[in-house]
Amino acid sequence: MSDMMKRRSAEAAADHVKSGMKLGIGTGSTAEQFVRVLAEKISDGLEIIGVPTSERTAALCRELGVPLTTLDETPHLDLTVDGADEIGPDLALVKGGGGALLREKIVAAASDEMIVIADETKIVGTLGTFPLPIEVMPFGLGATELAIRSAAGNIGLTGTLALRQDAAGQNFMTDGGHFILDASFGRIPDPEALALELSAIPGVVEHGLFIDLARLAVVAGADGIQTLTR
Ligand code: 5RP
């Protein structure tokens, strides 16, 4: 997706932001555009306060002068705006490509509304082409992998689990100090069933299936912005 499309999607989402709102602020290259749009509106007089979903987003907000708070100080938010790796039927999402899925889900769940910003390549008929990020405890990794394979098998899914690496070739570490397994299960026809299976595994901290969280997606394409609702 070009930066221009990301920017357009971010601008469309920013139209939903009103002065006085408490915002969840997502992570990723599209969310970065949203932070930039937000910063411009703040310098024009918009008054908001935001909870960032990653250290990366927090750093950008500080750099651009977007006021921040925490979920401890501000436990209930009006709106979260965040990107996605896939947008499926009923606005079920795959998220976590940027490794921030745990904080992203906590923040989205604390918000009255979630708006997804993306380009049209993120829209899929069935989730699963993008590997599903699963955040796991480093302790007991082997046993957790085995449990994930077994859980997926319970609903007829098989595939590979890849332990995510960072640019230096080390195990990627999330802001919460966990690892990420990227699961290539292929098509996921029943995301709810997989989400339930994964959530029942003790070593799984959180998974990147976001179900019943987003109410609106503003998706940029060559023909402009399309709005998806559920
Ligand atoms: C980070 C995410 C991102 O929202 C997702 O990866 C989309 O990123 P981008 O806007 O760069 O395509 O879930 O954990």
Side-chain angles (χ1 to χ4, degrees):
M1 170 163 65
S2 70
D3 279 351
M4 178 68 85
M5 288 222 191
K6 293 176 193 184
R7 167 94 192 184
R8 284 201 190 121
S9 173
E11 285 172 348
D15 287 344
H16 293 259
V17 176
K18 309 289 174 232
S19 254
M21 275 189 165
K22 294 168 275 178
L23 296 180
I25 306 177
T27 295
S29 56
T30 318
E32 179 183 325
Q33 291 297 327
F34 177 71
V35 175
R36 294 188 183 283
V37 173
L38 208 52
E40 288 166 20
K41 286 184 174 260
I42 288 167
S43 64
D44 288 344
L46 179 77
E47 288 184 16
I48 60 96
I49 191 144
V51 174
T53 53
S54 62
E55 297 302 325
R56 175 179 156 193
T57 294
L60 184 65
C61 287
R62 282 189 208 103
E63 182 190 325
L64 298 178
V66 175
L68 295 180
T69 181
T70 65
L71 283 183
D72 301 319
E73 288 167 356
T74 313
H76 178 235
L77 306 176
D78 299 298
L79 170 66
T80 285
V81 177
D82 201 351
D85 299 302
E86 288 189 327
I87 305 171
D90 295 325
L91 295 188
L93 311 173
V94 166
K95 284 185 52 56
L101 66 103
L102 175 59
R103 291 190 187 185
E104 289 172 337
K105 197 176 279 189
I106 292 171
V107 169
S111 303
D112 283 342
E113 263 198 87
M114 177 186 186
I115 298 181
V116 182
I117 48 178
D119 78 308
E120 59 193 1
T121 64
K122 303 284 183 78
I123 299 175
V124 297
T126 308
L127 298 180
T129 303
F130 190 92
L132 175 67
I134 304 173
E135 185 157 347
V136 295
M137 288 295 294
F139 178 85
L141 179 62
T144 301
E145 284 190 57
L146 204 60
I148 291 172
R149 285 181 208 288
S150 165
N154 289 342
I155 56 167
L157 298 177
T158 55
T160 58
L161 297 176
L163 184 60
R164 192 179 295 185
Q165 305 291 292
D166 64 19
Q170 304 296 310
N171 293 337
F172 177 89
M173 187 76 80
T174 68
D175 285 344
H178 309 123
F179 292 159
I180 291 203
L181 291 168
D182 289 302
S184 298
F185 292 136
R187 287 162 46 91
I188 304 171
D190 189 345
E192 287 88 352
L194 181 58
L196 281 174
E197 289 283 350
L198 293 175
S199 295
I201 300 169
V204 169
V205 181
E206 194 46 85
H207 55 76
L209 290 166
F210 281 48
I211 298 166
D212 286 344
L213 283 169
R215 286 195 182 280
L216 180 70
V218 284
V219 181
D223 299 330
I225 295 287
Q226 60 171 305
T227 300
L228 308 178
T229 52
R230 77 175 162 89

